[in-house]
DNA sequence: CGCGGCATTGACATTGATCAAAAGCTGTGG
DNA sequence: CCACAGCTTTTGATCAATGTCAATGCCGCG
């Protein structure tokens, strides 16, 4: 690691969420210790940078996969829409995460859309797989990321199957807090970039129920919404307990 | 592949679900084409065979991970139990699948219990990871299996979030049919090894609701339960459509 | 100012959970 | 073979939670 040129070293630090592509893929996959400067140029060469506006689609379910994306800024929702229009968000991905990695017969399994404005690096799936063949540390980090994603999916299943509406919304805030804390350190307040409809689509609830549940959490003093976008986490332990969220 | 000794070749065939450990891990991870006879002894050396009776626990959430399991016979449920006793099954694994692979800080994230009598091979997690470091094909197959598992988890999230009770039960039968079909070829009937309570814990419903939903599916002619354990899939397309199940 | 989008609130309908009882099924012992 | 105990499943009656529909409020923006 110490042999890396200073600028590249900077990009590889875990904290450099918004660094160019070489840094961001290393960071996402916890590869900082695994990469050497010899491998770095290949990673740099893989991807190009792109950005999307709120509500833009990054990829659609069923489209042929050519690339996946490493988010460097913003929030992406992974979702499935039923034939009759019911929509379910199955995962949320923030800066540092990869999206568009799941496939079914070479096609995207779910849809990805930008919840906020989003910046990401696009990587050729084919070239990434080739690289992973040659660098075991990259493959190991990919598996690690997939394991983490699956743990989160399992926890969401448990929340949806067994929690009532207000508990689910508490789960949502506890999880958002954890996601932000893991990236930006412990925080008392965070931007609520999702509207009621998106929260409902994530938790399997309607807009109205989300609204009423948020009101209950405010009344219990667990959160407050001082203005517009900002949520203040007043009592994270209470939120976690109510939402059965294990940190 | 052709250079393998006949008996080992036999174990490596995808169809050999109940083959000894060397075969089963190869099959699970779709490694048949990737392994060479030189690598095989190392895989064989990894694991020992064990079995469990119905209701036995394979591993508990929070226990330190030492090994994971490749199922060779039976059905395993992966679940989480909340502090107040509410339980949610987050995944079902059949012969050919691996369980106990997910971890959080070196501990099992979920609980695994035997729904039927189960046979499985136990593999040292540490030695498997070392092996994956050396054999890219093994790492790639692991990632492939994780991607598939995560797709299934996302589909379950969508079902739980957006389907009503009878639709969820239709989803359940459609998925069980797909799981069996992918292993044993297309089948018109299958053993229903789970009782109403376990189905409810998988779908986030109560015993009574599951019972009533099954009655509705029978009345609509989508399934029938001729005796005891056996479910006959009378109309798989209807089941898939009702359960929003994409094969 | 007035418009459009989102959020809140209220009234009501529906779904599924809960509680309770009856009906099947299975295995055991007489 | 029958009787019985212990279990699971089914069925029914009721209740609580959440969805649905409609009206109103809030806020930013042209």
């Amino acid at each position: 690691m110490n042999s890396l040129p200073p600028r590249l070293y900077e990009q590889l630090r875990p904290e450099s969420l918004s660094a160019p592509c070489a840094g961001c893929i290393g960071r996402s996959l916890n590869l900082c210790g695994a990469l050497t400067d010899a491998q770095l140029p290949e990673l740099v060469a893989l991807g190009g940078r792109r950005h999307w506006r709120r509500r833009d689609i990054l990829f659609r379910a069923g489209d042929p996969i050519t690339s996946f994306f490493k988010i460097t800024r913003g929030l992406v929702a992974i979702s499935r829409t039923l034939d009759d229009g019911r929509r379910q968000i199955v995962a949320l991905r923030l800066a540092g995460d990869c999206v568009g990695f799941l496939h079914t017969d070479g096609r995207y399994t779910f849809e990805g859309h930008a919840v906020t404005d989003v910046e990401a690096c696009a990587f050729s799936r084919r070239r990434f797989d080739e690289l992973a063949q040659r660098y075991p540390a990259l493959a190991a980090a990919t598996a690690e990321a997939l394991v983490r994603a699956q743990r989160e999916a399992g926890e969401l299943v448990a929340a949806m199957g067994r929690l009532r509406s207000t508990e689910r919304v508490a789960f949502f805030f506890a999880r958002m807090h954890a996601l932000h804390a893991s990236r930006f350190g412990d925080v008392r307040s965070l931007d609520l970039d999702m509207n009621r409809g998106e929260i409902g689509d994530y938790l399997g609830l309607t807009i109205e129920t989300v609204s009423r549940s948020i009101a209950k959490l405010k009344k219990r003093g667990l959160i407050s919404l001082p203005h517009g976008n900002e949520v203040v986490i007043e009592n994270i332990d209470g939120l976690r307990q109510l939402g059965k969220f294990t940190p």
Side-chain angles (χ1 to χ4, degrees), chain A residues 1 7-8 18 65 68 85 92-93 104 107 111-112 116 146 148 155 170 180 189-190 198 200-201 224 239 242:
Chain A
M1 201 64 171
R7 199 168 142 271
L8 293 179
S18 56
I65 284 195
F68 68 93
L92 295 172
R93 302 270 176 247
T104 311
R107 295 166 181 280
E111 173 177 300
T116 62
L146 286 168
R148 198 170 348 114
E155 286 163 355
H180 277 82
S189 80
L190 39 91
E198 285 165 327
D201 283 348
S224 59
L239 276 179
L242 184 60

Side-chain angles (χ1 to χ4, degrees), chain A residues 137-192:
Chain A
L138 187 58
T142 303
E144 168 101 19
L146 286 168
V147 163
R148 198 170 348 114
Q150 215 186 326
R151 187 185 72 219
E152 284 181 16
E155 286 163 355
L156 183 59
V157 168
M160 305 252 301
R162 287 305 175 204
L163 300 188
R164 355 198 114 280
S165 57
T166 307
E167 294 173 319
R168 282 191 225 182
V169 176
F171 170 88
F172 168 75
F173 284 116
R175 170 170 276 191
M176 289 309 269
H177 178 266
L179 290 176
H180 277 82
S182 71
R183 284 163 180 77
F184 313 113
D186 210 354
V187 284
R188 223 180 83 82
S189 80
L190 39 91
D191 280 345
L192 182 57

Side-chain angles (χ1 to χ4, degrees), chain A residues 69-233:
Chain A
F69 307 93
K70 163 74 172 58
I71 306 168
T72 52
R73 198 172 55 78
L75 177 60
V76 175
I78 311 301
S79 64
R80 158 156 300 180
T81 302
L82 306 183
D83 44 26
D84 54 8
R86 285 178 280 181
R87 186 179 74 158
Q88 176 66 42
I89 293 173
V90 301
L92 295 172
R93 302 270 176 247
L94 274 71
D97 295 329
C98 287
V99 298
F101 204 84
L102 297 186
H103 56 90
T104 311
D105 301 329
R107 295 166 181 280
Y108 294 111
T109 308
F110 299 99
E111 173 177 300
H113 81 266
V115 173
T116 62
D117 289 356
V118 164
E119 271 185 31
C121 300
F123 291 92
S124 156
R125 181 57 193 265
R126 189 179 50 74
R127 295 183 64 189
F128 178 85
D129 286 345
E130 286 166 12
L131 209 55
Q133 288 275 320
R134 281 189 287 136
Y135 299 113
L138 187 58
T142 303
E144 168 101 19
L146 286 168
V147 163
R148 198 170 348 114
Q150 215 186 326
R151 187 185 72 219
E152 284 181 16
E155 286 163 355
L156 183 59
V157 168
M160 305 252 301
R162 287 305 175 204
L163 300 188
R164 355 198 114 280
S165 57
T166 307
E167 294 173 319
R168 282 191 225 182
V169 176
F171 170 88
F172 168 75
F173 284 116
R175 170 170 276 191
M176 289 309 269
H177 178 266
L179 290 176
H180 277 82
S182 71
R183 284 163 180 77
F184 313 113
D186 210 354
V187 284
R188 223 180 83 82
S189 80
L190 39 91
D191 280 345
L192 182 57
D193 298 314
M194 299 165 72
N195 63 25
R196 302 292 183 268
E198 285 165 327
I199 298 174
D201 283 348
Y202 183 55
L203 297 174
L205 301 170
T206 60
I207 291 174
E208 295 91 333
T209 302
V210 171
S211 181
R212 286 185 247 259
S213 294
I214 288 178
K216 284 180 196 164
L217 295 183
K218 283 197 286 191
K219 202 171 300 173
R220 292 176 62 160
L222 299 176
I223 59 170
S224 59
L225 306 180
H227 30 31
N229 240 2
E230 193 188 358
V231 192
V232 177
I233 306 294

Side-chain angles (χ1 to χ4, degrees), chain A residues 8 11 20-23 25 37-49 121-128 131 134:
Chain A
L8 293 179
Q11 291 172 5
C21 304
I25 193 167
D37 47 351
Q39 292 160 34
L40 198 58
E42 299 187 76
L43 279 180
V44 175
L46 269 178
R49 193 155 216 174
C121 300
F123 291 92
S124 156
R125 181 57 193 265
R126 189 179 50 74
R127 295 183 64 189
F128 178 85
L131 209 55
R134 281 189 287 136

Side-chain angles (χ1 to χ4, degrees), chain A residues 155 178 240 245-247:
Chain A
E155 286 163 355
R240 285 181 181 150
F245 183 85
T246 45

